[in-house]
Amino acid sequence: MHSLSIMLKIWVSLVLWATFVQLTTATDVDPGVLDACPGYEATNVITDGGILTANLTLAGQACNVFGDDLQNLSLTVVYETTDRIHLKIVDSSSARYEVPESVVPRPDSSKPVSPSTATIQFNFTTSPFSFSIVRSSTNEVLFSTGSHPIIFEPQYLRVKTVLPDNPNIYGFGEHTNPFRLPTDNLTLTLWSRDAPGIPPGTNLYGNHPVYFEHRTTGTHGVFFLNSNGMDLKLTNVNGSSLEYNAIGGVLDFYFFAGSESDPSAVARQYAEVVGLPAEVPYWSFGLHQCRFGYKDFVDVAGVISKYAAANIPLETMWTDIDYMDRRRIFTVDPQYFPLNRMREIVDFLHSHDQRYILMTDPAVPFVPNDTDYAPYHRGSDLNAYLKAANGSDLIAIVWPGVTVYPGETLFLTRELVLNTPQDWFNPNTTEFWNNEFKIFYSPDTGIDIDGAWIDMNEPSNVSPISPADGTQLNPPTSCHQQFCNLPCDDPFQQARDQNLPPPRSNPPPDPNTPIFQNTSTAFQERTGALGSLPVLEVPVVTSLEKRDDILTPPYAINNAAGPLSSKTAFTDAVHVNGLQEYNTHNLYGTMMSSATRAAMLARRPGKRTLIITRSTFAGAGAHVGKWLGDNISAWDQYRFSIAGMLNFATIFQVPMVGSDICGFNGNTTETLCARWAMLGAFYPFMRNHNSDTSISQEYYVWDLVAEAARNAINTRYRLLDYFYTAFHQAHTDGTPILQPLWFKYPRDTNTFPVDLQFFFGDSILVSPVTQENSTSVDIYLPNDTFYDFARLAPIQGTGSTITLDNVNFTTIPLHIRGGVVLPLRVESAATTTALRKNDFEFIVAPGQDGSASGKLYMDDGESIEQSETTSVDMSFANGSLNVTGSFGFATGVNVAHVRFLSVQDTPKTVTVNGATVADGSVSFDATNKVLDVTVGVLFDKNLSVEFS
């Protein structure tokens, strides 16, 4: 078969065996031992306006539980705004790793406020040093280290705060726990890993060390800006508490006052630190379809045609790694997905106002002797790949076989450099990535994609597990290969053993096979092997001084994959500025996200784009959206997709989020897929996607699912401008686009654990059926006025659970929260482009006080900088609706109707802009109490509609 030179074998063995570590288990230490540590004494405390500084000196005999306690620390506390305190504790004698500013830009702290004006206060005790954050108005303690000493060691940091009994804690992700976190001995681990099946109770793809705590007295938040691996422990033993256990970095905390009455305030305050969400194009809210396992270009074209034939609006077609030549990024398989036929598919989609997206993984095949694969060589010439500890390119195994990871430009010493561009932000790596996107995705000569999808960016190197029984997936072409298992001493042999890249299982199609036959009519009616292996010279190994135990740190976090380096890049890999993967591992996906966004924006300057990633860190939403990973076609995962979505959209400031609808791994069922198609229509990011070893699950496969999808998408599309407005608001100030019930009813304790219902936007309550084969659902309605979305009839909530019966498999229960004016399109359409040509109608749903209000924002849907926008406010009181604002962007449509809800009797007079409306333009539904007024005026100026 294939052969390697003796020198190459020796080199690979030396490099990779040197980084091999034995399996480790999570560290379990008696909390009493940690609480017995001496902590620190605060001295030389200086207060200068809104800034406090102090020296922290070890207050007694060192406990040295996971290393030597540092003797001297420096404390800085800054009242950055009236609602935010920034606390930072660092080693006073030497620099330590901190999250680079290039990854998470810090907010301006140059103008601190006076503590006397702040809504939260920093209090402290000097010896042993402890601190608390209290709410100024009530003196309520929000965070307190109390009797729990701070521990600060080279590879272990510990901070512990007391919590109220039965606290309401939300956040700390990524995970698949309930939205309100259990506090009975729960450990949440932050360390990026590929997690097929997204099992509950384990670390997953992303890292967001932020939580919101909600009380009936208010809501506040805490953000720990640290990218090192960590365990977060919630326990109610001897009182409720939260304990941070990080394996590096510094103690860098932001405390947010939130609000005593409005939980959404803390989300806006968090956005001020990590960045506001990136605005996405209007079309990105349409339906997306993908599958890992489309066999060839004929298969892909056939899916597009079948959606059209089934009258299901398909906005964007996606293709997984199937299109690649031997799984190599920036290639197409010339037999199965020839470039000319792929361009034909894209041209067809664009001519029908549809879009196309392809998968792009980070791993680049390591093929020094294959001169035909130019991307590898261009990256090598730029020295753009992640380095092993000895300075050579880090070797891994992913889909193409033996690979390297983008991430470097040159090898430096291990001297620590803080807050300088690294990895994907490095000019050479950025040049490499931008250039490959420019070439391969060229509108003129390549595949003209409209957005990008990036995966495997933990970075991943994964073992397979079956969603059903924990065994390995089979056949070997399934979603997750073993890839390079530790010790990974011969990755070339492992690649051969795993048959990477996997061969095709079907013969290639005739390259001249006709596609899209009769499809245009349907739309009009609707509106390989490894090859030879390289022989390399033995590289010169650069001597590095070993400082810490980077591969096996003394405190072992509860990483579900085992050792830190298991199934990912080795933690002693070196970054361009000398930082190690040990510290920056959790940032890789977000850095790739930023670079990919930059590459897409360079292709189409001035135009928004959609980037969907798998791995994220705090602040990722400023660049990209997120899908919740490789889930399973199972009812429990259907249910906890809601909590996962709420975490990202409500807490983490990553609002463009959704799960693989109908499930990725395993076989869905007709009823599960029908229910999921309807729930998925209320994910911000709506995509059907499944694996190559699963049955087909496109919506048209079952008549029941097709009908459910059409119904739900019809409602979503009619609400799209309402939701687009919410997304624009999120981009403007960080207000979440999805909200849990307690955000709207913060003093109703019954809402605190609810995570199977949520508000889509500000006012649409979504209450999906969540049990298999059930046609009923118990939902909670707070003490407020609601309206059935289908009938528009009022329902008075009483702060109790009600049962909805006879909910068929093509219906999802929706309610309008009273007090809102909703802008809806009068009907749906086949594409979002066609949708924008449909007229508006306004639904006026009064609250308990009889008033209602709403907003509508419109622009061209794709430009980053808008030259013209339309922004209107809608208000209703005493029978009068007023729509006022600016109309810079031409809507090009009419206001067709206004529907007033909860009207008790037929009005005597109705006027539009002061003119009496003819009787034939007014109808009244006495059963549902709906007054329908035909308006029919161009939506280009202020509007008033009154009845009496």
Side-chain angles (χ1 to χ4, degrees), residues 329-330 360-365 375 379 383-387 394 403-409 423-424 428-430 432-433 436 459 575 581 588 591-592 595:
I329 61 171
F330 305 125
T360 306
D361 286 339
V364 178
N383 204 13
Y385 302 128
L386 186 64
K387 305 300 179 188
L394 180 70
T403 61
V404 289
Y405 294 116
E408 299 306 317
T409 60
D423 284 343
W424 294 89
N428 284 27
T429 302
T430 302
F432 164 65
W433 205 244
E436 298 310 317
H575 293 251
E581 182 69 8
Y588 192 92
M591 290 189 292
M592 181 187 181

Side-chain angles (χ1 to χ4, degrees), residues 84-104:
R84 182 176 75 237
I85 291 176
H86 184 194
L87 178 149
K88 193 171 180 181
I89 300 176
V90 302
D91 182 354
S92 60
S93 59
S94 64
R96 288 169 62 95
Y97 166 77
E98 299 177 25
V99 176
E101 288 260 9
S102 58
V103 181
V104 181

Side-chain angles (χ1 to χ4, degrees), residues 3 11 30 63 135 167 179 282 320 395 493 495 573 628 657 765 772 779 818 862:
S3 62
W11 168 60
D30 183 352
C63 61
R135 194 176 294 283
F179 184 50
Y282 188 94
D320 211 311
I395 299 295
Q493 184 59 49
L628 295 176
V657 61
L765 179 61
E772 183 174 8
I779 72 169
E862 62 176 0

